[in-house]
Amino acid sequence: MVDIDFTKLLMAEREADKRIEEAHRKADEMLRQAREEAKRIFEEKSKVDEKGIIDEVRRELFKEYESFQTELSSQFADFKKHVEENRENIIREIVSYTLGVHK
Amino acid sequence: MSVEEEKEILEALINEIENAADDEIRKIIEEAEKQRERILRSAEEKALQERRRREEEVRRKARISILKELSFKRISFRRDLLVNKYKVIMGLIEEARKWVLEEAEKCGSLYRLGLENLVEEAILNIKSSDIVVVCNKRDKEVVEEVSKKISGKIKDKYNRNINVVVKSSLPENEYGVIVHSADSKEYYINTISSRFEYYVREYLPELLSKKV
């Protein structure tokens, strides 16, 4: 028959329970800190540079507008050139038709 | 059992309890660390999503605002070009009008040649045999000559007898002719001003077809 000193065993178990409880507390603290860290990360990394974005959009749209201006100015220049190059013929055609001498 | 053996068993049991506790503690900490990693990773992902959402929102609002500003500029720019285009076209039209008027006023060779064509075109468009040709006083003589010539031409070509009367009731500054049947049921307006307006109206779209 083994005669074991249960007092020592109980003390060892109590000590183990205390260490486990301590580990739980440590884990809880780790999680609490992690949540705080997460909150800080979220706030920090979800920030946007509004002015930078607006400036970028403005640059893009003004570039498009400049292309529009260039395109229209070029079309107008072509039109003007077309009219100048054909001015004599256009007028002659209008005059001929009006006077009834067109072919 | 000896005291020594009892001590060994007790130590073994205590060791087992401590080892079990160590395992448990390790698992608790490992699990907490994993969870910590998950929380931080999730925060990073959510922050990234939120940042994209906010950026998109700022971008959308900025586009609306800037496009509104630019639409006025676009309209203004296009309007200025259209005004310039209109000026170019009007310059052309005015030059043509001046040329036509000069030719008609001085009764130049082109005008006289054209007058015959205008009278013929107008007469051919009237079905009635009794026709009145209206012109200005200055052109009456020429129109009478031309009308006779055309009557003969029409008889030869279409075997059609027509009776033409020339009246000089057009204003002095109106050139060309208005031809109508004697009963005034048919009209053909072939004045220089109406032909000019018609041609410019018809020809203008062709000029405008060059985009601006």
Side-chain angles (χ1 to χ4, degrees):
Chain A
M1 179 80 183
V2 179
D3 186 13
I4 295 172
D5 184 353
F6 283 104
T7 314
K8 284 191 175 176
L9 268 182
L10 278 174
M11 280 172 68
E13 275 184 4
R14 208 170 287 164
E15 184 59 27
D17 284 347
K18 271 169 74 178
R19 285 173 58 212
I20 289 169
E21 257 177 56
E22 182 59 30
H24 275 299
R25 266 198 298 277
K26 193 178 169 190
D28 286 346
E29 179 58 17
M30 277 171 71
L31 295 180
R32 191 192 62 76
Q33 283 180 0
R35 285 188 196 98
E36 275 189 11
E37 176 72 0
K39 199 174 162 188
R40 193 193 59 75
I41 287 172
F42 182 81
E43 280 172 9
E44 190 58 37
K45 296 200 170 177
S46 64
K47 275 183 191 164
V48 291
D49 174 12
E50 286 198 21
K51 191 182 172 301
I53 294 171
I54 292 169
D55 286 348
E56 188 192 330
V57 172
R58 180 171 286 276
R59 268 198 306 277
E60 282 169 15
L61 293 178
F62 268 81
K63 202 173 166 191
E64 279 177 25
Y65 174 66
E66 279 166 19
S67 302
F68 160 84
Q69 280 182 314
T70 309
E71 172 70 19
L72 245 65
S73 298
S74 157
Q75 283 179 13
F76 176 68
D78 286 349
F79 169 77
K80 209 171 161 186
K81 190 175 167 210
H82 166 77
V83 170
E84 287 311 318
E85 283 174 354
N86 297 285
R87 191 174 193 85
E88 188 81 11
N89 288 339
I90 294 169
I91 291 175
R92 201 177 289 279
E93 200 170 330
I94 296 174
V95 171
S96 302
Y97 175 83
T98 306
L99 294 177
V101 290
H102 61 294
K103 287 170 188 170
Chain B
M1 182 187 290
S2 69
V3 173
E4 210 48 47
E5 282 173 337
E6 192 183 317
K7 198 178 167 188
E8 277 176 18
I9 289 170
L10 190 61
E11 273 177 13
L13 284 172
I14 288 171
N15 272 343
E16 205 172 304
I17 289 169
E18 283 176 349
N19 288 341
D22 286 343
D23 281 350
E24 185 64 20
I25 289 165
R26 198 184 64 248
K27 281 181 192 166
I28 290 166
I29 298 298
E30 277 176 4
E31 183 55 34
E33 277 171 356
K34 280 182 191 166
Q35 214 168 327
R36 177 178 177 277
E37 287 298 313
R38 277 199 295 272
I39 289 169
L40 295 181
R41 203 166 46 239
S42 166
E44 295 262 359
E45 286 166 4
K46 281 181 184 166
L48 188 65
Q49 282 176 2
E50 179 64 10
R51 195 177 72 200
R52 285 184 184 145
R53 191 194 66 76
R54 287 180 185 173
E55 280 175 351
E56 200 46 49
E57 183 67 9
V58 172
R59 190 176 296 277
R60 191 182 64 79
K61 284 184 177 169
R63 273 188 77 84
I64 290 171
S65 159
I66 298 165
L67 279 175
K68 192 175 167 187
E69 177 189 336
L70 283 178
S71 68
F72 291 116
K73 284 180 181 282
R74 278 175 187 261
I75 289 169
S76 169
F77 187 76
R78 192 183 283 276
R79 189 196 53 221
D80 289 348
L81 279 189
L82 283 174
V83 167
N84 287 335
K85 186 175 180 181
Y86 176 78
K87 284 179 183 168
V88 169
I89 293 169
M90 286 314 289
L92 201 65
I93 290 171
E94 282 314 308
E95 205 175 321
R97 189 194 306 277
K98 201 174 154 198
W99 192 345
V100 166
L101 275 179
E102 271 176 17
E103 187 63 27
E105 277 167 4
K106 73 178 182 193
C107 199
S109 56
L110 268 184
Y111 177 73
R112 289 170 73 92
L113 180 67
L115 197 56
E116 187 174 332
N117 295 335
L118 300 190
V119 174
E120 182 175 350
E121 182 184 292
I123 287 176
L124 284 174
N125 275 283
I126 301 289
K127 287 177 188 160
S128 171
S129 301
D130 293 319
I131 293 171
V132 179
V133 178
V134 185
C135 60
N136 67 27
K137 202 171 165 185
R138 187 199 71 182
D139 292 344
K140 193 179 178 198
E141 206 176 310
V142 180
V143 171
E144 276 174 341
E145 254 178 60
V146 165
S147 297
K148 273 183 201 159
K149 195 172 154 190
I150 291 165
S151 298
K153 198 169 159 185
I154 288 173
K155 186 169 169 49
D156 293 345
K157 201 168 176 184
Y158 304 102
N159 195 24
R160 182 182 153 204
N161 286 314
I162 56 167
N163 177 33
V164 180
V165 174
V166 179
K167 287 185 179 173
S168 56
S169 49
L170 269 190
E172 282 307 301
N173 57 354
E174 187 65 85
Y175 305 97
V177 290
I178 294 175
V179 176
H180 62 87
S181 57
D183 59 8
S184 295
K185 283 183 180 170
E186 297 172 82
Y187 266 88
Y188 195 93
I189 299 172
N190 228 0
T191 59
I192 294 300
S193 58
S194 65
R195 285 179 68 85
F196 183 80
E197 295 306 325
Y198 172 80
Y199 192 70
V200 164
R201 206 168 48 239
E202 292 298 305
Y203 195 64
L204 214 55
E206 205 178 311
L207 289 176
L208 292 171
S209 69
K210 281 194 79 78
K211 276 187 189 171
V212 161

